[in-house]
Amino acid sequence: MIDKRFTPQGDGFHMPGEFERHAGCVIVWPQRPGSWSFGADAACAAFATVIKAIAASERVYVACGREHWARAESMLSGVDNVTLLPIETDDSWARDIGPTFVVRDSAGGRQVRGVNWSFNAWGGAVDGLYQDWRQDDAFAAAFAEKAGYELYDAAPFVLEGGSIHCDGEGTVMATEACLLSAGRNPELTKEEIEEKLKLYLGAEKVLWLPRGIYNDETNEHVDNVCAFIRPGEVVLAWTDNEDDPQYPLSEACLRYLELATDAKGRRLTVHKLPVPDVPVCIEADEVAGFDFAEGEDMREAGERLAASYVNFYFSNDSVVLPAFGGANAASDARAAAILARLCPERKIVQLPARAILTGGGNIHCITQQIPKGAGL
């Protein structure tokens, strides 16, 4: 039995919606040779572009190790609202290794605390993507200490930030493919995992989407397939092409969502956000630039990447949306138009994201939101 006095739920905290106004975000500078090809040149440029776009309306805290500090400092020099923090990591996925922030509103204002989960490189000994993840596992605590946030410790429960999505009103989404995978918490039942989510996210109801994006090496994180744009409304990655391996995955999610209700008893409005029309695959010249460590998951030329426009970031004034370019220029434009219609209160800022995608993720994956309230 978990003592609820020392969980966010017991203390009256909950995870806010990502569409809510917030203080800023944390991003980890790219550095791992097995994730970022050719010395991370293209990745650093892509990260810097994302950082500058987000910093236009909120503070961005950029964590960086000693070896790459000078480069980050040079590329971000003169950019307002950017703060560099010296923290060592194994890789650069702040969404998955950073604290999950929860809030409590009172007459005295909003309080903010973090939640630390165990991180095991998306599957540990079963199907983790690299062998040594100790610095990544320690990142949430290291950031919270520097930022001055109190931290709940959910360890040894394994969870990544990209595997959950909340509406800010008691509903959390996850995929069965990810959270029930053998490399996460195999000793727990689905019901026990759900109880953990409710306790540490202050949630009342968990929506279990069956699948995620095809060939997503995170075991199909929810943040790549479905996202709340406001309470009661979601965007769902979609394709009309029944021959695409993504089709049965998205169709299964749509069937589930059409019958689901949220924590407030509302039926969900589901907006389809099509994936790129042309599958995005990694090319031989890109693979040649990686330097894989022993035991690290290796990429192969022609491998289909988990490209999805659902993996966007809500900044305070914008939707920061990936663009994949090339044969998908029309798909990029279609995604921007859909989100402009769905989010008329925000600008659509679409940025080249291929260099991030070839590293294994996308714009949402490299950002972890920080709510307004006490802290840095």
Side-chain angles (χ1 to χ4, degrees):
M1 178 66 67
I2 298 173
D3 189 337
K4 295 186 181 182
R5 293 175 300 173
F6 301 104
T7 64
Q9 186 185 72
D11 289 340
F13 283 77
H14 71 278
M15 184 177 176
E18 293 186 23
F19 42 79
E20 298 180 31
R21 291 193 65 82
H22 48 280
C25 70
V26 56
I27 290 177
V28 181
W29 192 252
Q31 54 196 37
R32 187 178 184 85
S35 294
W36 312 108
S37 59
F38 296 106
D41 288 349
C44 288
F47 271 58
T49 301
V50 172
I51 290 167
K52 292 171 184 177
I54 296 174
S57 65
E58 64 190 68
R59 174 68 55 181
V60 182
Y61 301 97
V62 181
C64 185
R66 292 183 298 275
E67 184 178 348
H68 305 272
W69 184 272
R71 187 180 201 182
E73 192 173 44
S74 173
M75 294 185 74
L76 299 174
S77 176
V79 182
D80 292 336
N81 281 340
V82 172
T83 301
L84 276 169
L85 298 174
I87 306 176
E88 300 292 339
T89 61
D90 299 301
D91 208 343
S92 311
W93 308 106
R95 174 69 56 171
D96 289 347
I97 66 175
T100 296
F101 288 98
V102 291
V103 300
R104 180 173 65 189
D105 295 311
S106 65
R110 171 164 278 194
Q111 294 176 273
V112 180
R113 293 178 183 171
V115 178
N116 172 61
W117 317 95
S118 280
F119 176 80
N120 68 356
W122 307 277
V126 176
D127 55 0
L129 301 184
Y130 44 86
Q131 290 187 329
D132 187 354
W133 53 79
R134 286 173 293 182
Q135 292 183 131
D136 279 353
D137 190 34
F139 177 76
F143 179 79
E145 182 178 4
K146 287 186 179 296
Y149 291 102
E150 293 184 66
L151 201 64
Y152 293 101
D153 191 5
F157 186 73
V158 176
L159 190 91
E160 305 94 37
S163 69
I164 52 175
H165 214 286
C166 289
D167 69 350
E169 295 188 357
T171 310
V172 57
M173 287 194 300
T175 68
E176 293 180 334
C178 178
L179 290 195
L180 304 186
S181 65
R184 298 306 199 284
N185 301 286
E187 74 284 359
L188 299 179
T189 65
K190 180 179 178 179
E191 292 71 26
E192 289 170 330
I193 292 171
E194 184 167 314
E195 179 66 8
K196 286 276 192 180
L197 296 178
K198 290 178 179 178
L199 288 172
Y200 283 96
L201 300 175
E204 301 167 26
K205 186 169 186 176
V206 179
L207 301 181
W208 289 95
L209 279 66
R211 299 299 301 270
I213 290 294
Y214 174 74
N215 217 29
D216 186 340
E217 60 193 0
T218 66
N219 301 111
E220 301 175 21
H221 271 182
V222 74
D223 73 343
N224 221 14
V225 72
C226 194
F228 286 106
I229 58 172
R230 60 185 60 89
E233 290 189 51
V234 299
V235 288
L236 173 68
W238 185 256
T239 177
D240 288 323
N241 181 5
E242 295 185 14
D243 295 325
D244 190 315
Q246 181 58 42
Y247 182 82
L249 279 61
S250 291
E251 185 185 37
C253 290
L254 179 61
R255 288 199 305 267
Y256 174 84
L257 290 166
E258 286 179 333
L259 298 176
T261 56
D262 63 16
K264 303 297 185 185
R266 294 172 293 215
R267 284 292 181 92
L268 298 171
T269 299
V270 181
H271 304 282
K272 294 176 179 178
L273 185 58
V275 298
D277 289 331
V278 180
V280 181
C281 300
I282 196 164
E283 299 176 358
D285 60 343
E286 293 170 319
V287 173
F290 292 111
D291 182 8
F292 298 107
E294 182 178 352
E296 187 169 5
D297 185 63
M298 299 176 67
R299 306 198 182 285
E300 298 179 359
E303 175 184 337
R304 178 164 167 168
L305 300 171
S308 168
Y309 298 106
V310 173
N311 209 288
F312 59 81
Y313 178 78
F314 275 127
S315 73
N316 276 330
D317 69 354
S318 305
V319 177
V320 184
L321 177 68
F324 304 111
N328 283 306
S331 302
D332 292 345
R334 178 183 61 205
I338 290 171
L339 284 166
R341 174 175 56 83
L342 296 177
C343 305
E345 73 283 3
R346 284 183 160 90
K347 297 182 294 184
I348 304 299
V349 178
Q350 197 162 32
L351 304 175
R354 184 180 179 91
I356 302 175
L357 184 64
T358 56
N362 217 312
I363 289 174
H364 189 266
C365 304
I366 67 172
T367 59
Q368 179 62 298
Q369 267 188 2
I370 306 171
K372 289 182 177 293
L376 255 177

